[in-house]
Amino acid sequence: MLIAQNHLQFILEVAVIIHMGVLLLINIIPFTLSMVLFLSLILTMFLAGIFSIDSALLFLPYVSHQEFTHPFGPLAVFAWVTLSASASLLSEVEIKSTSITALSLVLFGVIAVAGGLMHRSFLILWFLGWFLGYFIMSKSFRRSVKITRKRIMTVAAAAFGGFAILEILSRVLNASVLSPLLRLTRIEEYAIPSLKMVVKNTQLWGHVQGSCYWAANCLGGSDGYLSLPMNMINTFTLPFPLFFGVLVVKKDVIDYMLPGIFGVAFDFGYGGLFALLCWCAFVMCSGFYVLRKYRSKRRVGSRRYLGREALLIGALTAFMAQTIIGLFLFNRTINGSAMIIFIFLSAMVVAHLVSIRPSLR
């Protein structure tokens, strides 16, 4: 049936539509390097702006914030790494990009500070994206990657210092929302009970019927612990179980307290988790395969695929970062609105695989 009957079917249908749409977009529009540079710059500046405004609202009374870093954090990684890769590709073809590189560093700092104030988990995603992007670009542009003890200590000290500053600010300003220790306390209090519930009730496909919050009305799988945005489901008037209002606390048991592998396994079963892991591995392997093709063409003098190469570096980096954080640290990084970005980044990588076969063989 074309009309989805549960959350999993709806996710798969939306994923197919997004992948087909991005595939057509990549093949129809000639993404030149200048176009990719311009679009990534605009997107990075836009995200830096809304992250900054959202973080500023934390300190204003009677004004609510939106927490844009959860859904748009991976998109920010995609935009910034694409911008940085575009600047590097300009240097590869002997075009000066000093001002663009300087602007990208400024935007990097703005997003890191604004996003870190909103969510400490975003800092992990952001710096992981930076590291993966730096590594991929080093291989693509023949730069040496030097991981020294001094650099490791510098990064560790910066991370520790950032968390310490946030903790001090939270106490001085009496703003518990800024406290990294609050997050650790909540994990300590809720994670172990949540983990026991998931491990005890997860089956090959879904979970033990009646083990979720809905009790007797539990579907035994696709109960909404992992879902697309609620507004999207309501727009299509789909009769799926939804967590809203005070019920969000029940969803947080899995969505906020456990890594994604447990959330996926509980809602879609071990079979669903295995299928997702296989797809993620396929996307990553496909991305590196196409990237080698683009790189080989560039090194023999072709400039035809420079824009697509920058796009692929950004999408592959962001997809890898979101996958690692979402599956192994924070389930919320691939849930709800963030799932749309996750599917979009997957499509942005796979679309290159389809389009290069007749032209780069």
Side-chain angles (χ1 to χ4, degrees):
M1 296 179 65
L2 294 178
I3 300 178
Q5 302 300 304
N6 54 48
H7 285 284
L8 179 58
Q9 290 181 17
F10 189 45
I11 291 170
L12 293 177
E13 288 182 4
V14 170
V16 170
I17 293 172
I18 291 178
H19 277 74
M20 293 300 295
V22 172
L23 174 62
L24 293 174
L25 183 70
I26 291 292
N27 282 277
I28 291 174
I29 299 177
F31 283 100
T32 61
L33 182 57
S34 58
M35 178 189 293
V36 171
L37 176 63
F38 174 76
L39 293 177
S40 61
L41 177 60
I42 295 299
L43 181 58
T44 306
M45 293 176 66
F46 173 75
L47 291 173
I50 64 172
F51 285 4
S52 299
I53 294 172
D54 202 28
S55 297
L57 295 179
L58 286 172
F59 304 95
L60 298 178
Y62 313 113
V63 181
S64 61
H65 56 278
Q66 302 299 318
E67 300 189 1
F68 290 119
T69 49
H70 273 317
F72 299 136
L75 190 62
V77 174
F78 165 65
W80 185 84
V81 173
T82 301
L83 175 62
S84 183
S86 300
S88 297
L89 284 167
L90 285 177
S91 300
E92 288 287 309
V93 295
E94 300 179 351
I95 299 176
K96 290 184 178 181
S97 58
T98 307
S99 59
I100 297 174
T101 302
L103 179 58
S104 70
L105 292 175
V106 172
L107 291 172
F108 179 90
V110 170
I111 293 176
V113 172
L117 285 173
M118 181 59 62
H119 289 111
R120 268 56 67 201
S121 59
F122 171 79
L123 281 179
I124 303 176
L125 173 73
W126 186 243
F127 284 106
L128 177 62
W130 167 80
F131 174 79
L132 293 173
Y134 175 74
F135 182 80
I136 293 174
M137 286 186 283
S138 297
K139 296 298 183 182
S140 295
F141 307 132
R142 293 179 176 176
R143 301 171 185 168
S144 60
V145 181
K146 295 181 180 179
I147 302 177
T148 63
R149 180 182 298 178
K150 182 179 179 181
R151 290 187 175 183
I152 294 175
M153 293 298 293
T154 301
V155 172
F160 178 80
F163 280 88
I165 291 172
L166 285 172
E167 184 63 28
I168 293 172
L169 284 174
S170 71
R171 301 195 179 192
V172 172
L173 301 175
N174 195 26
S176 60
V177 69
L178 298 177
S179 173
L181 294 180
L182 178 63
R183 167 75 181 187
L184 296 177
T185 303
R186 293 189 67 189
I187 290 177
E188 181 182 6
E189 183 178 356
Y190 295 109
I192 299 302
S194 303
L195 186 60
K196 289 180 179 179
M197 184 195 78
V198 168
V199 173
K200 179 181 177 181
N201 294 293
T202 300
Q203 298 179 325
L204 179 61
W205 299 108
H207 45 259
V208 175
Q209 194 160 6
S211 62
C212 64
Y213 174 73
W214 318 109
N217 295 322
C218 178
L219 301 177
S222 298
D223 274 284
Y225 286 95
L226 268 82
S227 66
L228 290 169
M230 185 185 303
N231 291 336
M232 192 173 181
I233 295 172
N234 289 333
T235 299
F236 291 99
T237 63
L238 298 171
F240 302 160
L242 293 172
F243 292 85
F244 58 91
V246 296
L247 300 185
V248 172
V249 177
K250 303 297 182 181
K251 185 177 183 179
D252 279 352
V253 168
I254 290 177
D255 182 41
Y256 195 67
M257 298 300 165
L258 294 179
I261 54 174
F262 298 106
V264 174
F266 183 78
D267 220 15
F268 306 136
Y270 291 116
L273 175 61
F274 179 74
L276 177 61
L277 292 175
C278 288
W279 177 255
C280 290
F282 169 75
V283 173
M284 294 177 192
C285 292
S286 299
F288 283 113
Y289 167 76
V290 179
L291 196 56
R292 284 196 299 270
K293 293 292 185 179
Y294 286 157
R295 185 167 59 235
S296 63
K297 285 294 181 179
R298 170 168 51 83
R299 289 177 177 174
V300 297
S302 174
R303 297 189 179 186
R304 181 177 179 182
Y305 303 104
L306 295 181
R308 295 166 69 95
E309 184 177 358
L311 273 178
L312 180 56
I313 290 174
L316 181 59
T317 299
F319 179 81
M320 291 174 63
Q322 188 177 12
T323 298
I324 293 171
I325 300 300
L327 289 180
F328 301 105
L329 288 179
F330 308 108
N331 181 60
R332 187 165 292 186
T333 307
I334 57 171
N335 202 1
S337 299
M339 187 181 294
I340 294 290
I341 304 300
F342 185 66
I343 295 172
F344 169 75
L345 293 174
S346 168
M348 284 295 294
V349 176
V350 174
H352 291 267
L353 179 66
V354 177
S355 63
I356 57 94
R357 285 182 175 174
S359 55
L360 296 184
R361 188 180 299 174

